[in-house]
Amino acid sequence: MSDSYPGPGSRSLDRRTATILRMTYLIAALDITWLFVQISITPYLAKRLGFDTLWFGYLQTMVGVIQLLGGPIFGRFADLFGARMALALSSSASVVYFVLLAMADSVPMLFIHKLPAIFMHALPGTQMVVADLTEPEKRADALAKLGLCFGFGMITGSSLGGTLSTRYGETFTACMSAAGSLLSLALVLKFIPKHTKKQRTAKGSVFNLGEITRLMKFPGVAKTFTVKIISGLPGGVFQVMFSIIAMDFFQLKAEQTGYLMAYIGVVQMVIQGGVIGRLTARFSEDTLLLLSVGLTSLIGLTQIVMTNVAQFCFILIPMMLSLSLFNVITDSMLTKSVPPTDTGTMLGMCASVQSLLRTIGPTIGGFLYQNYGVSSFGCIQFGVNSLVFIYLLRSSRGRTEAHKE
């Protein structure tokens, strides 16, 4: 694989692009697999080391803060030094992360092993490759296929982590994940070109905050980014609290929760792989954003009256449709709103939104659940997204009237 992406007019362009994209999807699927292997063993390791719910919450918050800070910096690094270097950094950090996890035999070591997570941003890294190598009109569909990889990794990683840890223990499982991350690193170095951008004019320091925040000044970026945070907050809080809801509200055992997670993964794979692409081919991104926010609002109403896991499984289908559509469309719109040289930084900022939700979600979700119950998540989701829907609808009508004039 040569150092650069082939320029326009190259006969090997389509073939090489297809190969790079296929390997990018594979790298994403592998990375998500190792992530869910870790998620499946960390709670049991923490319990064995004497963690209570409060300290485990501190551990999760620490990861959220680290990745919140690291997301934009990683994106900026990718824009400056290229996709291969960025993904190699992420995979190398994953190797160190899992080696430290295998060595974690005390409370301080369990906290220390989380530190490499500041560089572990394979998903926004692969998103940047996909965004760079696809035409704007096909970008949303291409990004949606990464969600298919996420669903595959969630199912495979959860099952693999549970099986390996039960039979061979947490240390062996962490070592296997480190070996898997080494495989991901080898694939990055072999198949991902040094640069995937057709224009390489990004300059300056990785830690230049001004270069990161200036993206908010481009037309439409601040509005879409704000919508992404506000509309996504209620659903993000519910996702953070889901393990508690499954155990306490639905009264599920660990094995039953595993089956439920597999069902969620399958639903996500079907929607990302078979539905999102068809919708993006037929409707504009503004229309789909409006649809996803409106659907999220209606789902909030159903959550208010939800009382058992069977009802949740039914609600999950439109919930995953709205969530997947919302994330894909906002990421696509934001990458199109900035210059091609800054797509990595923009996707890093998008990843930081999820880290922000994981950081503040446990505090907000714990308060709501303890004081008002599961229905409170639905109430807030309905209220917040109804307001966002009205704002987007008025904004869309305003643009339409302006074009007519």
Side-chain angles (χ1 to χ4, degrees), residues 221-254:
V221 171
K223 171 191 167 184
T224 305
F225 200 78
T226 302
V227 167
K228 188 176 182 69
I229 294 174
I230 295 176
S231 181
L233 179 59
V237 172
F238 180 81
Q239 291 174 54
V240 168
M241 293 298 297
F242 181 72
S243 60
I244 302 296
I245 293 170
M247 181 176 60
D248 190 42
F249 184 73
F250 293 144
Q251 297 291 307
L252 299 182
K253 297 179 181 179

PDB file of all heavy atoms in Angstrom, residues 221-254:
ATOM      1  N   VAL A 221     -22.436  24.848  11.514  1.00  0.00           N
ATOM      2  CA  VAL A 221     -21.760  23.929  12.431  1.00  0.00           C
ATOM      3  C   VAL A 221     -22.262  24.101  13.859  1.00  0.00           C
ATOM      4  O   VAL A 221     -22.618  23.135  14.535  1.00  0.00           O
ATOM      5  CB  VAL A 221     -20.229  24.110  12.370  1.00  0.00           C
ATOM      6  CG1 VAL A 221     -19.551  23.310  13.485  1.00  0.00           C
ATOM      7  CG2 VAL A 221     -19.700  23.671  11.016  1.00  0.00           C
ATOM      8  N   ALA A 222     -22.280  25.340  14.345  1.00  0.00           N
ATOM      9  CA  ALA A 222     -22.691  25.588  15.731  1.00  0.00           C
ATOM     10  C   ALA A 222     -24.121  25.107  15.978  1.00  0.00           C
ATOM     11  O   ALA A 222     -24.426  24.488  17.011  1.00  0.00           O
ATOM     12  CB  ALA A 222     -22.566  27.072  16.062  1.00  0.00           C
ATOM     13  N   LYS A 223     -24.998  25.355  15.012  1.00  0.00           N
ATOM     14  CA  LYS A 223     -26.400  24.952  15.153  1.00  0.00           C
ATOM     15  C   LYS A 223     -26.528  23.426  15.215  1.00  0.00           C
ATOM     16  O   LYS A 223     -27.175  22.877  16.127  1.00  0.00           O
ATOM     17  CB  LYS A 223     -27.213  25.491  13.978  1.00  0.00           C
ATOM     18  CG  LYS A 223     -28.640  24.960  13.917  1.00  0.00           C
ATOM     19  CD  LYS A 223     -29.299  25.330  12.594  1.00  0.00           C
ATOM     20  CE  LYS A 223     -30.584  24.546  12.375  1.00  0.00           C
ATOM     21  NZ  LYS A 223     -31.183  24.831  11.062  1.00  0.00           N
ATOM     22  N   THR A 224     -25.910  22.721  14.259  1.00  0.00           N
ATOM     23  CA  THR A 224     -26.013  21.266  14.218  1.00  0.00           C
ATOM     24  C   THR A 224     -25.356  20.637  15.441  1.00  0.00           C
ATOM     25  O   THR A 224     -25.880  19.683  16.026  1.00  0.00           O
ATOM     26  CB  THR A 224     -25.356  20.717  12.940  1.00  0.00           C
ATOM     27  OG1 THR A 224     -25.942  21.347  11.796  1.00  0.00           O
ATOM     28  CG2 THR A 224     -25.537  19.213  12.834  1.00  0.00           C
ATOM     29  N   PHE A 225     -24.220  21.185  15.851  1.00  0.00           N
ATOM     30  CA  PHE A 225     -23.507  20.642  17.007  1.00  0.00           C
ATOM     31  C   PHE A 225     -24.326  20.827  18.286  1.00  0.00           C
ATOM     32  O   PHE A 225     -24.382  19.934  19.136  1.00  0.00           O
ATOM     33  CB  PHE A 225     -22.150  21.338  17.142  1.00  0.00           C
ATOM     34  CG  PHE A 225     -21.154  20.568  17.962  1.00  0.00           C
ATOM     35  CD1 PHE A 225     -20.484  19.484  17.418  1.00  0.00           C
ATOM     36  CD2 PHE A 225     -20.889  20.923  19.269  1.00  0.00           C
ATOM     37  CE1 PHE A 225     -19.567  18.758  18.166  1.00  0.00           C
ATOM     38  CE2 PHE A 225     -19.971  20.211  20.027  1.00  0.00           C
ATOM     39  CZ  PHE A 225     -19.306  19.124  19.474  1.00  0.00           C
ATOM     40  N   THR A 226     -24.975  21.984  18.416  1.00  0.00           N
ATOM     41  CA  THR A 226     -25.816  22.234  19.591  1.00  0.00           C
ATOM     42  C   THR A 226     -27.018  21.291  19.612  1.00  0.00           C
ATOM     43  O   THR A 226     -27.376  20.750  20.666  1.00  0.00           O
ATOM     44  CB  THR A 226     -26.302  23.697  19.595  1.00  0.00           C
ATOM     45  OG1 THR A 226     -25.172  24.577  19.578  1.00  0.00           O
ATOM     46  CG2 THR A 226     -27.132  23.992  20.835  1.00  0.00           C
ATOM     47  N   VAL A 227     -27.632  21.086  18.449  1.00  0.00           N
ATOM     48  CA  VAL A 227     -28.745  20.142  18.343  1.00  0.00           C
ATOM     49  C   VAL A 227     -28.278  18.737  18.720  1.00  0.00           C
ATOM     50  O   VAL A 227     -28.989  17.988  19.413  1.00  0.00           O
ATOM     51  CB  VAL A 227     -29.349  20.158  16.921  1.00  0.00           C
ATOM     52  CG1 VAL A 227     -30.295  18.972  16.708  1.00  0.00           C
ATOM     53  CG2 VAL A 227     -30.079  21.466  16.677  1.00  0.00           C
ATOM     54  N   LYS A 228     -27.094  18.372  18.286  1.00  0.00           N
ATOM     55  CA  LYS A 228     -26.543  17.043  18.580  1.00  0.00           C
ATOM     56  C   LYS A 228     -26.409  16.828  20.085  1.00  0.00           C
ATOM     57  O   LYS A 228     -26.717  15.745  20.604  1.00  0.00           O
ATOM     58  CB  LYS A 228     -25.176  16.882  17.907  1.00  0.00           C
ATOM     59  CG  LYS A 228     -24.595  15.475  17.971  1.00  0.00           C
ATOM     60  CD  LYS A 228     -23.300  15.417  17.187  1.00  0.00           C
ATOM     61  CE  LYS A 228     -22.725  14.004  17.187  1.00  0.00           C
ATOM     62  NZ  LYS A 228     -23.527  13.058  16.394  1.00  0.00           N
ATOM     63  N   ILE A 229     -25.969  17.850  20.802  1.00  0.00           N
ATOM     64  CA  ILE A 229     -25.791  17.738  22.253  1.00  0.00           C
ATOM     65  C   ILE A 229     -27.134  17.719  22.973  1.00  0.00           C
ATOM     66  O   ILE A 229     -27.423  16.822  23.775  1.00  0.00           O
ATOM     67  CB  ILE A 229     -24.922  18.891  22.792  1.00  0.00           C
ATOM     68  CG1 ILE A 229     -23.497  18.784  22.235  1.00  0.00           C
ATOM     69  CG2 ILE A 229     -24.889  18.875  24.320  1.00  0.00           C
ATOM     70  CD1 ILE A 229     -22.611  19.954  22.597  1.00  0.00           C
ATOM     71  N   ILE A 230     -27.975  18.716  22.675  1.00  0.00           N
ATOM     72  CA  ILE A 230     -29.232  18.870  23.423  1.00  0.00           C
ATOM     73  C   ILE A 230     -30.187  17.717  23.136  1.00  0.00           C
ATOM     74  O   ILE A 230     -30.762  17.118  24.058  1.00  0.00           O
ATOM     75  CB  ILE A 230     -29.896  20.218  23.079  1.00  0.00           C
ATOM     76  CG1 ILE A 230     -29.006  21.376  23.560  1.00  0.00           C
ATOM     77  CG2 ILE A 230     -31.277  20.317  23.711  1.00  0.00           C
ATOM     78  CD1 ILE A 230     -29.518  22.743  23.174  1.00  0.00           C
ATOM     79  N   SER A 231     -30.378  17.381  21.862  1.00  0.00           N
ATOM     80  CA  SER A 231     -31.312  16.318  21.513  1.00  0.00           C
ATOM     81  C   SER A 231     -30.798  14.950  21.970  1.00  0.00           C
ATOM     82  O   SER A 231     -31.586  14.080  22.338  1.00  0.00           O
ATOM     83  CB  SER A 231     -31.549  16.309  20.000  1.00  0.00           C
ATOM     84  OG  SER A 231     -32.462  15.311  19.626  1.00  0.00           O
ATOM     85  N   GLY A 232     -29.487  14.774  21.942  1.00  0.00           N
ATOM     86  CA  GLY A 232     -28.914  13.482  22.305  1.00  0.00           C
ATOM     87  C   GLY A 232     -28.780  13.241  23.797  1.00  0.00           C
ATOM     88  O   GLY A 232     -28.592  12.096  24.230  1.00  0.00           O
ATOM     89  N   LEU A 233     -28.896  14.302  24.610  1.00  0.00           N
ATOM     90  CA  LEU A 233     -28.676  14.163  26.050  1.00  0.00           C
ATOM     91  C   LEU A 233     -29.657  13.203  26.735  1.00  0.00           C
ATOM     92  O   LEU A 233     -29.230  12.302  27.470  1.00  0.00           O
ATOM     93  CB  LEU A 233     -28.723  15.542  26.722  1.00  0.00           C
ATOM     94  CG  LEU A 233     -28.528  15.557  28.244  1.00  0.00           C
ATOM     95  CD1 LEU A 233     -27.180  14.945  28.603  1.00  0.00           C
ATOM     96  CD2 LEU A 233     -28.632  16.977  28.790  1.00  0.00           C
ATOM     97  N   PRO A 234     -30.991  13.340  26.532  1.00  0.00           N
ATOM     98  CA  PRO A 234     -31.910  12.422  27.225  1.00  0.00           C
ATOM     99  C   PRO A 234     -31.677  10.958  26.871  1.00  0.00           C
ATOM    100  O   PRO A 234     -31.649  10.088  27.754  1.00  0.00           O
ATOM    101  CB  PRO A 234     -33.297  12.898  26.763  1.00  0.00           C
ATOM    102  CG  PRO A 234     -33.098  14.317  26.348  1.00  0.00           C
ATOM    103  CD  PRO A 234     -31.732  14.365  25.757  1.00  0.00           C
ATOM    104  N   GLY A 235     -31.497  10.681  25.586  1.00  0.00           N
ATOM    105  CA  GLY A 235     -31.233   9.304  25.173  1.00  0.00           C
ATOM    106  C   GLY A 235     -29.908   8.796  25.694  1.00  0.00           C
ATOM    107  O   GLY A 235     -29.774   7.621  26.058  1.00  0.00           O
ATOM    108  N   GLY A 236     -28.900   9.683  25.741  1.00  0.00           N
ATOM    109  CA  GLY A 236     -27.594   9.305  26.273  1.00  0.00           C
ATOM    110  C   GLY A 236     -27.656   8.937  27.740  1.00  0.00           C
ATOM    111  O   GLY A 236     -27.005   7.985  28.185  1.00  0.00           O
ATOM    112  N   VAL A 237     -28.441   9.684  28.502  1.00  0.00           N
ATOM    113  CA  VAL A 237     -28.616   9.388  29.930  1.00  0.00           C
ATOM    114  C   VAL A 237     -29.278   8.021  30.106  1.00  0.00           C
ATOM    115  O   VAL A 237     -28.871   7.215  30.960  1.00  0.00           O
ATOM    116  CB  VAL A 237     -29.451  10.491  30.619  1.00  0.00           C
ATOM    117  CG1 VAL A 237     -29.806  10.083  32.044  1.00  0.00           C
ATOM    118  CG2 VAL A 237     -28.689  11.810  30.628  1.00  0.00           C
ATOM    119  N   PHE A 238     -30.289   7.728  29.288  1.00  0.00           N
ATOM    120  CA  PHE A 238     -30.967   6.424  29.366  1.00  0.00           C
ATOM    121  C   PHE A 238     -29.993   5.294  29.042  1.00  0.00           C
ATOM    122  O   PHE A 238     -29.998   4.255  29.713  1.00  0.00           O
ATOM    123  CB  PHE A 238     -32.151   6.402  28.398  1.00  0.00           C
ATOM    124  CG  PHE A 238     -32.914   5.107  28.412  1.00  0.00           C
ATOM    125  CD1 PHE A 238     -33.866   4.853  29.390  1.00  0.00           C
ATOM    126  CD2 PHE A 238     -32.682   4.128  27.454  1.00  0.00           C
ATOM    127  CE1 PHE A 238     -34.580   3.659  29.414  1.00  0.00           C
ATOM    128  CE2 PHE A 238     -33.381   2.926  27.459  1.00  0.00           C
ATOM    129  CZ  PHE A 238     -34.331   2.692  28.445  1.00  0.00           C
ATOM    130  N   GLN A 239     -29.138   5.490  28.024  1.00  0.00           N
ATOM    131  CA  GLN A 239     -28.171   4.458  27.652  1.00  0.00           C
ATOM    132  C   GLN A 239     -27.177   4.202  28.779  1.00  0.00           C
ATOM    133  O   GLN A 239     -26.828   3.051  29.064  1.00  0.00           O
ATOM    134  CB  GLN A 239     -27.424   4.878  26.389  1.00  0.00           C
ATOM    135  CG  GLN A 239     -28.281   4.878  25.133  1.00  0.00           C
ATOM    136  CD  GLN A 239     -27.545   5.445  23.939  1.00  0.00           C
ATOM    137  OE1 GLN A 239     -26.450   4.999  23.609  1.00  0.00           O
ATOM    138  NE2 GLN A 239     -28.108   6.450  23.305  1.00  0.00           N
ATOM    139  N   VAL A 240     -26.710   5.273  29.423  1.00  0.00           N
ATOM    140  CA  VAL A 240     -25.753   5.128  30.517  1.00  0.00           C
ATOM    141  C   VAL A 240     -26.366   4.343  31.674  1.00  0.00           C
ATOM    142  O   VAL A 240     -25.697   3.531  32.327  1.00  0.00           O
ATOM    143  CB  VAL A 240     -25.286   6.520  30.998  1.00  0.00           C
ATOM    144  CG1 VAL A 240     -24.527   6.421  32.319  1.00  0.00           C
ATOM    145  CG2 VAL A 240     -24.403   7.177  29.942  1.00  0.00           C
ATOM    146  N   MET A 241     -27.662   4.569  31.908  1.00  0.00           N
ATOM    147  CA  MET A 241     -28.341   3.924  33.036  1.00  0.00           C
ATOM    148  C   MET A 241     -28.930   2.558  32.665  1.00  0.00           C
ATOM    149  O   MET A 241     -29.540   1.905  33.517  1.00  0.00           O
ATOM    150  CB  MET A 241     -29.471   4.835  33.541  1.00  0.00           C
ATOM    151  CG  MET A 241     -29.001   6.123  34.182  1.00  0.00           C
ATOM    152  SD  MET A 241     -27.996   5.839  35.651  1.00  0.00           S
ATOM    153  CE  MET A 241     -29.186   5.027  36.717  1.00  0.00           C
ATOM    154  N   PHE A 242     -28.754   2.120  31.426  1.00  0.00           N
ATOM    155  CA  PHE A 242     -29.466   0.938  30.974  1.00  0.00           C
ATOM    156  C   PHE A 242     -29.106  -0.318  31.765  1.00  0.00           C
ATOM    157  O   PHE A 242     -29.966  -1.155  32.051  1.00  0.00           O
ATOM    158  CB  PHE A 242     -29.222   0.694  29.480  1.00  0.00           C
ATOM    159  CG  PHE A 242     -29.946  -0.509  28.956  1.00  0.00           C
ATOM    160  CD1 PHE A 242     -31.316  -0.480  28.786  1.00  0.00           C
ATOM    161  CD2 PHE A 242     -29.264  -1.685  28.666  1.00  0.00           C
ATOM    162  CE1 PHE A 242     -32.005  -1.594  28.321  1.00  0.00           C
ATOM    163  CE2 PHE A 242     -29.940  -2.798  28.210  1.00  0.00           C
ATOM    164  CZ  PHE A 242     -31.311  -2.753  28.035  1.00  0.00           C
ATOM    165  N   SER A 243     -27.824  -0.492  32.127  1.00  0.00           N
ATOM    166  CA  SER A 243     -27.430  -1.693  32.871  1.00  0.00           C
ATOM    167  C   SER A 243     -28.150  -1.758  34.214  1.00  0.00           C
ATOM    168  O   SER A 243     -28.563  -2.834  34.663  1.00  0.00           O
ATOM    169  CB  SER A 243     -25.912  -1.722  33.076  1.00  0.00           C
ATOM    170  OG  SER A 243     -25.481  -0.583  33.795  1.00  0.00           O
ATOM    171  N   ILE A 244     -28.323  -0.586  34.855  1.00  0.00           N
ATOM    172  CA  ILE A 244     -29.052  -0.533  36.125  1.00  0.00           C
ATOM    173  C   ILE A 244     -30.542  -0.811  35.899  1.00  0.00           C
ATOM    174  O   ILE A 244     -31.180  -1.542  36.670  1.00  0.00           O
ATOM    175  CB  ILE A 244     -28.861   0.841  36.800  1.00  0.00           C
ATOM    176  CG1 ILE A 244     -27.386   1.111  37.040  1.00  0.00           C
ATOM    177  CG2 ILE A 244     -29.648   0.924  38.097  1.00  0.00           C
ATOM    178  CD1 ILE A 244     -26.723   0.154  37.992  1.00  0.00           C
ATOM    179  N   ILE A 245     -31.097  -0.229  34.822  1.00  0.00           N
ATOM    180  CA  ILE A 245     -32.517  -0.436  34.514  1.00  0.00           C
ATOM    181  C   ILE A 245     -32.793  -1.914  34.229  1.00  0.00           C
ATOM    182  O   ILE A 245     -33.787  -2.476  34.697  1.00  0.00           O
ATOM    183  CB  ILE A 245     -32.935   0.436  33.322  1.00  0.00           C
ATOM    184  CG1 ILE A 245     -32.867   1.927  33.707  1.00  0.00           C
ATOM    185  CG2 ILE A 245     -34.332   0.083  32.829  1.00  0.00           C
ATOM    186  CD1 ILE A 245     -33.033   2.871  32.542  1.00  0.00           C
ATOM    187  N   ALA A 246     -31.898  -2.553  33.456  1.00  0.00           N
ATOM    188  CA  ALA A 246     -32.079  -3.971  33.121  1.00  0.00           C
ATOM    189  C   ALA A 246     -32.056  -4.832  34.375  1.00  0.00           C
ATOM    190  O   ALA A 246     -32.856  -5.778  34.514  1.00  0.00           O
ATOM    191  CB  ALA A 246     -30.990  -4.418  32.146  1.00  0.00           C
ATOM    192  N   MET A 247     -31.157  -4.516  35.287  1.00  0.00           N
ATOM    193  CA  MET A 247     -30.997  -5.336  36.493  1.00  0.00           C
ATOM    194  C   MET A 247     -32.078  -5.045  37.535  1.00  0.00           C
ATOM    195  O   MET A 247     -32.643  -5.960  38.133  1.00  0.00           O
ATOM    196  CB  MET A 247     -29.608  -5.088  37.089  1.00  0.00           C
ATOM    197  CG  MET A 247     -29.308  -5.901  38.345  1.00  0.00           C
ATOM    198  SD  MET A 247     -27.615  -5.634  38.928  1.00  0.00           S
ATOM    199  CE  MET A 247     -27.637  -3.871  39.248  1.00  0.00           C
ATOM    200  N   ASP A 248     -32.386  -3.762  37.736  1.00  0.00           N
ATOM    201  CA  ASP A 248     -33.259  -3.358  38.836  1.00  0.00           C
ATOM    202  C   ASP A 248     -34.731  -3.248  38.414  1.00  0.00           C
ATOM    203  O   ASP A 248     -35.620  -3.745  39.098  1.00  0.00           O
ATOM    204  CB  ASP A 248     -32.764  -2.023  39.393  1.00  0.00           C
ATOM    205  CG  ASP A 248     -33.459  -1.635  40.675  1.00  0.00           C
ATOM    206  OD1 ASP A 248     -33.655  -2.521  41.514  1.00  0.00           O
ATOM    207  OD2 ASP A 248     -33.825  -0.450  40.836  1.00  0.00           O
ATOM    208  N   PHE A 249     -34.981  -2.590  37.277  1.00  0.00           N
ATOM    209  CA  PHE A 249     -36.365  -2.343  36.841  1.00  0.00           C
ATOM    210  C   PHE A 249     -36.944  -3.552  36.103  1.00  0.00           C
ATOM    211  O   PHE A 249     -38.073  -3.981  36.374  1.00  0.00           O
ATOM    212  CB  PHE A 249     -36.397  -1.104  35.945  1.00  0.00           C
ATOM    213  CG  PHE A 249     -37.774  -0.697  35.510  1.00  0.00           C
ATOM    214  CD1 PHE A 249     -38.664  -0.102  36.397  1.00  0.00           C
ATOM    215  CD2 PHE A 249     -38.193  -0.900  34.201  1.00  0.00           C
ATOM    216  CE1 PHE A 249     -39.942   0.276  35.998  1.00  0.00           C
ATOM    217  CE2 PHE A 249     -39.461  -0.518  33.784  1.00  0.00           C
ATOM    218  CZ  PHE A 249     -40.332   0.069  34.691  1.00  0.00           C
ATOM    219  N   PHE A 250     -36.159  -4.125  35.166  1.00  0.00           N
ATOM    220  CA  PHE A 250     -36.627  -5.291  34.420  1.00  0.00           C
ATOM    221  C   PHE A 250     -36.383  -6.602  35.172  1.00  0.00           C
ATOM    222  O   PHE A 250     -36.897  -7.648  34.765  1.00  0.00           O
ATOM    223  CB  PHE A 250     -35.951  -5.363  33.054  1.00  0.00           C
ATOM    224  CG  PHE A 250     -36.325  -4.245  32.113  1.00  0.00           C
ATOM    225  CD1 PHE A 250     -35.392  -3.717  31.233  1.00  0.00           C
ATOM    226  CD2 PHE A 250     -37.607  -3.725  32.101  1.00  0.00           C
ATOM    227  CE1 PHE A 250     -35.733  -2.697  30.361  1.00  0.00           C
ATOM    228  CE2 PHE A 250     -37.960  -2.709  31.226  1.00  0.00           C
ATOM    229  CZ  PHE A 250     -37.020  -2.180  30.357  1.00  0.00           C
ATOM    230  N   GLN A 251     -35.555  -6.554  36.231  1.00  0.00           N
ATOM    231  CA  GLN A 251     -35.241  -7.740  37.039  1.00  0.00           C
ATOM    232  C   GLN A 251     -34.605  -8.850  36.200  1.00  0.00           C
ATOM    233  O   GLN A 251     -34.933 -10.033  36.342  1.00  0.00           O
ATOM    234  CB  GLN A 251     -36.512  -8.269  37.725  1.00  0.00           C
ATOM    235  CG  GLN A 251     -37.156  -7.304  38.709  1.00  0.00           C
ATOM    236  CD  GLN A 251     -36.313  -7.109  39.962  1.00  0.00           C
ATOM    237  OE1 GLN A 251     -35.926  -8.059  40.616  1.00  0.00           O
ATOM    238  NE2 GLN A 251     -36.009  -5.852  40.286  1.00  0.00           N
ATOM    239  N   LEU A 252     -33.680  -8.472  35.315  1.00  0.00           N
ATOM    240  CA  LEU A 252     -33.014  -9.461  34.468  1.00  0.00           C
ATOM    241  C   LEU A 252     -31.759  -9.990  35.136  1.00  0.00           C
ATOM    242  O   LEU A 252     -31.039  -9.251  35.810  1.00  0.00           O
ATOM    243  CB  LEU A 252     -32.639  -8.842  33.114  1.00  0.00           C
ATOM    244  CG  LEU A 252     -33.775  -8.321  32.235  1.00  0.00           C
ATOM    245  CD1 LEU A 252     -33.207  -7.798  30.924  1.00  0.00           C
ATOM    246  CD2 LEU A 252     -34.805  -9.410  31.966  1.00  0.00           C
ATOM    247  N   LYS A 253     -31.479 -11.264  34.917  1.00  0.00           N
ATOM    248  CA  LYS A 253     -30.219 -11.853  35.362  1.00  0.00           C
ATOM    249  C   LYS A 253     -29.144 -11.575  34.319  1.00  0.00           C
ATOM    250  O   LYS A 253     -29.429 -11.122  33.210  1.00  0.00           O
ATOM    251  CB  LYS A 253     -30.399 -13.356  35.574  1.00  0.00           C
ATOM    252  CG  LYS A 253     -31.408 -13.703  36.665  1.00  0.00           C
ATOM    253  CD  LYS A 253     -31.572 -15.208  36.810  1.00  0.00           C
ATOM    254  CE  LYS A 253     -32.591 -15.547  37.882  1.00  0.00           C
ATOM    255  NZ  LYS A 253     -32.789 -17.012  38.018  1.00  0.00           N
ATOM    256  N   ALA A 254     -27.885 -11.868  34.676  1.00  0.00           N
ATOM    257  CA  ALA A 254     -26.766 -11.558  33.786  1.00  0.00           C
ATOM    258  C   ALA A 254     -26.926 -12.237  32.427  1.00  0.00           C
ATOM    259  O   ALA A 254     -26.687 -11.628  31.372  1.00  0.00           O
ATOM    260  CB  ALA A 254     -25.448 -11.975  34.438  1.00  0.00           C
TER     261      ALA A 254
END
